[in-house]
Amino acid sequence: MKRTIPLAITAIVGAVLVIAYFIPHPPFDGLREDFSIFFDIMATFAFILGGGNLIKMHGNRISRREEGWFFSLVTIVGFLLVLLVGLTKFGNPDGFRGSSVTASGSYFDHVYEYIFRPCGATMFALLAFYVASASFRAFRARNAEASILLLVAFIILLGRTFVGALLTSWLPDSLRFLTIPYLAEKIMVVLNFAGNRAIMIGIALGIVSTSLKVIIGIDRSYLGSD
Amino acid sequence: MNRFHQIVEFVNDLDKRWVFLVVGLAVVTSTIFRLTFPEIPTPMVRSVYEKVESLPEGSRVILPFDYDPASEPELQPMANAFVRLCAERNLKMYFIALWPLGQNMVAGVIDDILQTEYPHLEYGRDYMDFGYKSGNEGVVAVILTDIKKLYTTDAHGTAIDSIPMMAGVRNIRGFDLILTVSAGYPGLKEWIQYAGTPGNIPVAGGCTAVQAPLLYPYYPDQLVGLMGGIKAAAEFEALVAEAYPKFQEDKDRFLTALVRMGPQTVTHLAIIFFIVLGNITFQILRRKRQQEALKR
């Protein structure tokens, strides 16, 4: 029973959604809409599960004094603090019954504006330093493949800046195909298009085959090992 | 080992802190000296601009803001430019977010741009905010057929039925454009797959530079145009500023992507310098090792 019911739900919902795509008429179109709403409702409950899981995982790390337990403590305190100011709407100019949890001036807004936002932007800004360091070490012409990668990276990097256009601006119109912006665009639009489309088609075929196995009941790994 | 090869070895194994220092200096100096460079709009960026410009006054545009503060430095300029252009064109703007913090991003543009620069535009009549809903592509799939099944109120708790610009709107099939700002999943790809293509609604938008190559394959059939990263945002700003000269007056306010392209360009040059340097030292040392092997 523990396995049969989930298998039946998966088979019915999966089959209905596939049929509804090809036959968008009653009753399938209505069912597709209903199933989508069920999914949205369940996704909301996933937040509660996620929160519980976060507390459990980090709580265990703290109680066992595992390496880096202090960071787990910061995570839990941060999570509970934001949850508290969000649920209680502390400092909301319109009070607890006020319109929005993110109302300007509320504590939740302050946490977002003065802690989360600068921290997020800082993390993003650090990327430039690590990209520079990684490029210096990784982009070495060790063999033919690495040399091609290096050349392409070089053209794209230059093509993404004004300098790329400046460097080859002296070339006559008849040699426009040699200018860096032109080459950068062609690499992205022709080679990248073709490669990515091939990968996407491959992934789609893989998804179709895996989905069919799940709907039919051949693949039951999502049910766990019990 | 002679002195020359010692220097080459040192450079080849350069401590990453030297790289960080050079990148830091590149960013700081270009910011202090306010370096800006002219931008030539690429066809994909021009397509986005021309699509928005071609919409008649009062057209309905849905603006999904699917990003958060982590990608705000890269995406906020294009979000601002989209909103300004829509406001200039008097288009009806419907904001929505599939990311929890996307709602804050929407609140930011409403406060900083619409209420400040366009006080004549009225919430509920000219623009509205659906807010955030969990469910990722599930949300997109539902609002393609019936918005009110999922959204009974807007982000501020106002009943959807009482919002004037929702009168006669059942789903997003009748919308004229989906104009997204996206930093990952769920984002532009999901809007193409679950709304644009099945609903035959034109989709255009912007994303982070790293995400762009994965989305290029949808252009031009399923995607009207695509803007990848701050460079594309700068190109878009250049187009907007050319059509609406008032935006050229205050670069720091209206042309933020163009201003941010200065440090990015200089940093790119610093990275190119390091790549060239690394390869020169690598080749010198490789030749030396080959010569030593031959001697043995």
Side-chain angles (χ1 to χ4, degrees):
Chain A
M1 207 61 167
K2 202 174 162 185
R3 296 177 76 85
T4 313
I5 292 175
L7 277 171
I9 294 172
T10 309
I12 293 165
V13 175
V16 167
L17 287 173
V18 173
I19 294 167
Y21 187 84
F22 294 101
I23 310 170
H25 301 288
F28 299 111
D29 58 346
L31 282 171
R32 181 173 64 178
E33 211 172 295
D34 289 342
F35 286 153
S36 296
I37 292 171
F38 293 169
F39 175 78
D40 293 340
I41 294 166
M42 283 186 283
T44 311
F45 283 101
F47 273 98
I48 300 167
L49 283 173
N53 198 32
L54 181 124
I55 291 176
K56 190 183 159 191
M57 274 184 62
H58 289 280
N60 284 342
R61 287 184 69 182
I62 295 166
S63 66
R64 290 177 197 149
R65 290 286 190 278
E66 285 178 21
E67 197 185 351
W69 66 271
F70 184 75
F71 298 111
S72 293
L73 185 68
V74 173
T75 306
I76 289 187
V77 169
F79 172 71
L80 294 176
L81 194 76
V82 176
L83 191 69
L84 183 76
V85 294
L87 290 175
T88 53
K89 292 188 184 175
F90 270 139
N92 192 316
D94 304 321
F96 183 68
R97 289 183 177 275
S99 56
S100 175
V101 68
T102 56
S104 186
S106 65
Y107 285 12
F108 188 87
D109 182 56
H110 287 326
V111 168
Y112 168 77
E113 197 67 40
Y114 302 117
I115 299 176
F116 190 82
R117 202 171 165 189
C119 286
T122 306
M123 290 302 290
F124 183 80
L126 286 175
L127 269 180
F129 294 89
Y130 291 112
V131 166
S133 175
S135 304
F136 175 60
R137 272 161 234 293
F139 285 131
R140 301 276 168 103
R142 289 186 171 86
N143 49 42
E145 291 88 346
S147 303
I148 293 169
L149 183 70
L150 178 69
L151 183 70
V152 171
F154 210 74
I155 293 169
I156 297 292
L157 265 174
L158 276 175
R160 300 282 300 170
T161 62
F162 171 66
V163 181
L166 198 72
L167 277 175
T168 47
S169 59
W170 53 273
L171 282 169
D173 267 357
S174 56
L175 295 175
R176 191 177 154 264
F177 63 92
L178 287 176
T179 58
I180 290 174
Y182 182 86
L183 288 172
E185 193 197 329
K186 287 298 164 198
I187 288 169
M188 294 306 284
V189 174
V190 179
L191 301 179
N192 174 61
F193 264 37
N196 258 320
R197 276 186 178 151
I199 293 168
M200 284 167 80
I201 292 167
I203 292 171
L205 290 173
I207 291 172
V208 169
S209 114
T210 310
S211 304
L212 278 175
K213 280 200 276 186
V214 170
I215 291 169
I216 295 166
I218 297 169
D219 186 346
R220 301 179 180 193
S221 54
Y222 67 96
L223 293 171
S225 54
D226 290 340
Chain B
M1 192 188 289
N2 61 30
R3 181 82 180 144
F4 172 71
H5 282 112
Q6 275 180 342
I7 294 169
V8 173
E9 286 266 13
F10 172 77
V11 175
N12 192 55
D13 301 324
L14 195 66
D15 192 292
K16 63 183 171 193
R17 283 171 292 188
W18 287 107
V19 180
F20 293 168
L21 181 68
V22 173
V23 171
L25 284 173
V27 173
V28 170
T29 49
S30 53
T31 307
I32 290 171
F33 291 108
R34 308 182 61 74
L35 290 177
T36 54
F37 303 95
E39 290 296 335
I40 303 157
T42 50
M44 277 198 211
V45 175
R46 196 175 280 279
S47 301
V48 179
Y49 172 78
E50 284 170 356
K51 180 66 195 173
V52 181
E53 274 286 313
S54 70
L55 294 174
E57 200 171 298
S59 297
R60 292 188 176 117
V61 179
I62 187 157
L63 289 137
F65 276 20
D66 302 326
Y67 64 103
D68 62 11
S71 41
E72 189 184 354
E74 192 177 10
L75 296 178
Q76 197 57 49
M78 69 173 76
N80 293 350
F82 284 167
V83 172
R84 284 197 179 102
L85 186 57
C86 288
E88 290 292 331
R89 300 280 312 145
N90 280 322
L91 305 176
K92 303 274 180 211
M93 291 173 267
Y94 298 77
F95 294 98
I96 193 167
L98 299 179
W99 285 39
L101 288 166
Q103 190 173 333
N104 296 65
M105 299 295 143
V106 173
V109 293
I110 289 176
D111 287 348
D112 299 340
I113 297 175
L114 293 174
Q115 289 181 352
T116 314
E117 296 170 24
Y118 301 92
H120 61 283
L121 296 182
E122 195 183 308
Y123 184 88
R125 191 195 66 192
D126 302 297
Y127 63 93
M128 67 160 290
D129 179 12
F130 283 112
Y132 163 73
K133 274 270 189 286
S134 59
N136 305 333
E137 60 268 39
V139 174
V140 184
V142 173
I143 63 170
L144 184 65
T145 50
D146 197 343
I147 294 174
K148 288 166 192 172
K149 271 198 174 174
L150 207 56
Y151 292 90
T152 49
T153 61
D154 70 351
H156 308 290
T158 311
I160 286 283
D161 288 326
S162 66
I163 296 173
M165 62 192 287
M166 280 304 289
V169 177
R170 183 168 175 249
N171 54 45
I172 61 168
R173 278 182 194 272
F175 279 52
D176 301 285
L177 181 65
I178 298 170
L179 190 59
T180 86
V181 184
S182 154
Y185 171 81
L188 183 49
K189 190 175 166 183
E190 284 65 37
W191 282 99
I192 296 169
Q193 291 179 336
Y194 293 90
T197 305
N200 204 19
I201 312 162
V203 184
C207 61
T208 53
V210 289
Q211 202 190 352
L214 304 171
L215 293 164
Y216 283 151
Y218 293 104
Y219 175 83
D221 294 332
Q222 291 165 282
L223 194 55
V224 174
L226 179 67
M227 293 166 48
I230 200 86
K231 176 161 170 43
E235 292 170 14
F236 192 81
E237 281 181 354
L239 284 166
V240 176
E242 194 185 320
Y244 303 90
K246 66 174 182 179
F247 292 130
Q248 292 172 13
E249 288 165 13
D250 188 351
K251 277 187 179 179
D252 285 332
R253 185 174 178 83
F254 301 120
L255 305 176
T256 45
L258 210 64
V259 170
R260 288 177 197 187
M261 266 308 284
Q264 176 160 307
T265 302
V266 178
T267 308
H268 272 189
L269 292 177
I271 293 172
I272 290 168
F273 165 74
F274 276 116
I275 293 173
V276 172
L277 192 68
N279 276 282
I280 291 171
T281 56
F282 177 74
Q283 295 303 333
I284 291 171
L285 291 174
R286 183 154 80 169
R287 189 165 295 173
K288 184 176 163 261
R289 276 193 290 270
Q290 282 169 346
Q291 283 169 351
E292 282 170 357
L294 280 172
K295 278 179 195 168
R296 275 191 238 119

